[in-house]
Amino acid sequence: MDKVSKIAVLTSGGDAPGMNPCIRAVVRTAIYNNLEVVGVKQGYQGLIDNDIYDMSRRSVSNILDLGGTILKTARCLDFRTEEGMEKAYKNLQDRGINGLVVIGGDGTFTGALRFSKKYPDIAVMGVPGTIDNDLGGTDYTLGFDTATNTVIEALDKIRDTADAHDRLFFIEVMGRDAGCIALRAGISTGAEAILLPEKETAIEELIEGLKAGEYNKKSSSIVIVAEGDKRGAYDVAQMVQKEVKFYDVKVTILGHMQRGGSPTAFDRILGSRMGFAAVNALINGETQKMVGLRGNSIATTPLEEALNMHEFKLEDDLMEMVKILNI
Ligand code: F6P
């Protein structure tokens, strides 16, 4: 494979706060190393549609604090087809691009791996960007910290009104099949119960806990329901309401506000480190890998391994702790 000389960067799948600092780091690290760099609009769709433009240091000025992604993003079905990949490859070839940095989650990485196996002359490096924190090869994905803080802010506000009215709230939070956001937000806000997809809580157990809370003179209670818990916040609330008469019951689905907002310091630094490392890894001849944070160091992991690991980082000791601290 030729030495990488021209890099394309794209964001794909659900946006995550920290993507912009990462794009900035990719662009500036590439230019510092005398590589050309282009931005691709709307993820893989832009590769197929040839929506690609040259980037300079100034194209990424003043974006560290911006949520979303200046490159836009999409979930692209066409890229799953042979025809779609072929069009994307041709567009890259015509422009002399031989390195690709993809920032996104597992769908993005699956696409990147298939593409790179089919066209190995394009070196590919993944950056884990998703609020869900559900990828192997990294302790934290980009956007997880900001999203968790956004959820905490919302929960604190809901606690105020819940307490004022002596109410029981069921709050559904994002995370796809992972309960990382739910667990961290629950610890940080003293939620009375956290329903996680990784370890289902029986409704009877939940009711028992809430009754114990009432016995212990709790004026309000909050139950966090991770979206991966297939029962959903409304159904759980309905089942509980029949048995828990002492509280007025309300349901809130936090939804997409969890994905927006200015990235935290953690995500700005993580995005910068990962973007910087992704370009350096390509320069060093690495491909079909992702960069990740392990401990406090950046390391690369083969995409295949990262996708297979899917190690959800739910620690049993944290769940045990919640049972003691939040009742
Ligand atoms: O992967 C990020 C995420 O926000 C998940 O938490 C959620 O399940 C999903 O994306 C929502 O996707 P969309 O924005 O396409 O509805």
Side-chain angles (χ1 to χ4, degrees):
M1 191 170 28
D2 289 343
K3 241 181 154 6
V4 74
S5 54
K6 187 167 181 178
I7 290 179
V9 56
L10 61 82
T11 47
S12 156
D15 59 295
M19 282 182 164
N20 283 326
C22 185
I23 295 165
R24 173 179 177 271
V26 169
V27 170
R28 292 192 173 172
T29 309
I31 291 169
Y32 174 80
N33 287 287
N34 300 315
L35 307 179
E36 286 181 79
V37 59
V38 298
V40 182
K41 284 288 182 77
Q42 253 142 5
Y44 294 128
Q45 197 60 53
L47 273 191
I48 295 171
D49 298 342
N50 209 6
D51 198 356
I52 299 171
Y53 68 102
D54 293 338
M55 295 189 90
S56 68
R57 290 187 72 84
R58 292 287 73 77
S59 337
V60 289
S61 293
N62 304 325
I63 64 166
L64 282 167
D65 59 329
L66 300 183
T69 157
I70 60 160
L71 292 175
K72 309 255 183 200
T73 185
R75 301 193 192 278
C76 174
L77 295 179
D78 287 351
F79 196 67
R80 297 187 192 170
T81 66
E82 299 298 316
E83 203 193 3
M85 283 200 288
E86 215 174 292
K87 277 190 198 162
Y89 178 67
K90 190 173 174 304
N91 289 332
L92 288 172
Q93 255 202 334
D94 287 351
R95 290 172 182 268
I97 296 163
N98 54 3
L100 183 61
V101 176
V102 297
I103 310 168
D106 59 350
T108 305
F109 286 3
T110 305
L113 188 58
R114 275 191 65 217
F115 182 74
S116 162
K117 280 185 173 168
K118 193 170 159 74
Y119 302 110
D121 50 322
I122 311 278
V124 172
M125 195 55 55
V127 175
T130 165
I131 64 166
D132 302 336
N133 205 30
D134 61 350
L135 284 163
T138 190
D139 296 341
Y140 293 100
T141 58
L142 211 47
F144 166 67
D145 184 67
T146 307
T148 304
N149 277 292
T150 301
V151 171
I152 289 169
E153 208 183 313
L155 286 174
D156 287 345
K157 288 179 176 156
I158 287 171
R159 176 69 81 178
D160 289 345
T161 176
D163 220 37
H165 284 267
D166 292 352
R167 280 176 170 162
L168 162 61
F169 269 83
F170 291 83
I171 321 278
E172 190 170 298
V173 305
M174 277 186 174
R176 207 179 286 274
D177 299 324
C180 286
I181 295 178
L183 181 58
R184 261 56 179 196
I187 292 170
S188 308
T189 59
E192 277 67 23
I194 311 168
L195 305 190
L196 301 164
E198 292 86 349
K199 205 168 195 172
E200 192 172 293
T201 306
I203 296 295
E204 299 71 39
E205 189 188 328
L206 176 61
I207 291 170
E208 228 171 84
L210 293 168
K211 283 185 175 164
E214 197 241 347
Y215 179 79
N216 287 323
K217 305 208 176 343
K218 274 182 180 274
S219 59
S220 64
S221 278
I222 287 182
V223 177
I224 300 181
V225 185
E227 71 167 325
D229 184 308
K230 295 294 173 244
R231 295 167 293 190
Y234 279 106
D235 284 356
V236 173
Q238 218 172 32
M239 288 187 266
V240 170
Q241 195 163 22
K242 288 182 203 143
E243 302 293 329
V244 177
K245 304 283 183 211
F246 39 92
Y247 286 123
D248 189 15
V249 172
K250 297 281 174 189
V251 178
T252 303
I253 312 285
L254 289 184
H256 284 79
M257 56 91 78
Q258 294 165 93
R259 285 231 297 259
S262 184
T264 55
F266 184 87
D267 278 328
R268 293 182 196 201
I269 295 164
L270 186 62
S272 302
R273 288 181 79 183
M274 285 180 169
F276 179 74
V279 174
N280 283 317
L282 286 175
I283 291 171
N284 291 335
E286 294 185 65
T287 184
Q288 293 184 9
K289 290 188 176 175
M290 62 164 263
V291 294
L293 186 71
R294 290 230 173 238
N296 196 23
S297 303
I298 297 286
T300 56
T301 307
L303 282 177
E304 196 128 34
E305 228 175 84
L307 285 166
N308 287 337
M309 279 200 281
H310 246 277
E311 47 180 40
F312 297 147
K313 301 156 191 84
L314 276 193
E315 303 84 348
D316 283 343
D317 59 324
L318 290 187
M319 285 168 20
E320 281 310 306
M321 181 184 80
V322 167
K323 281 188 198 151
I324 294 165
L325 300 187
N326 295 12
I327 53 170

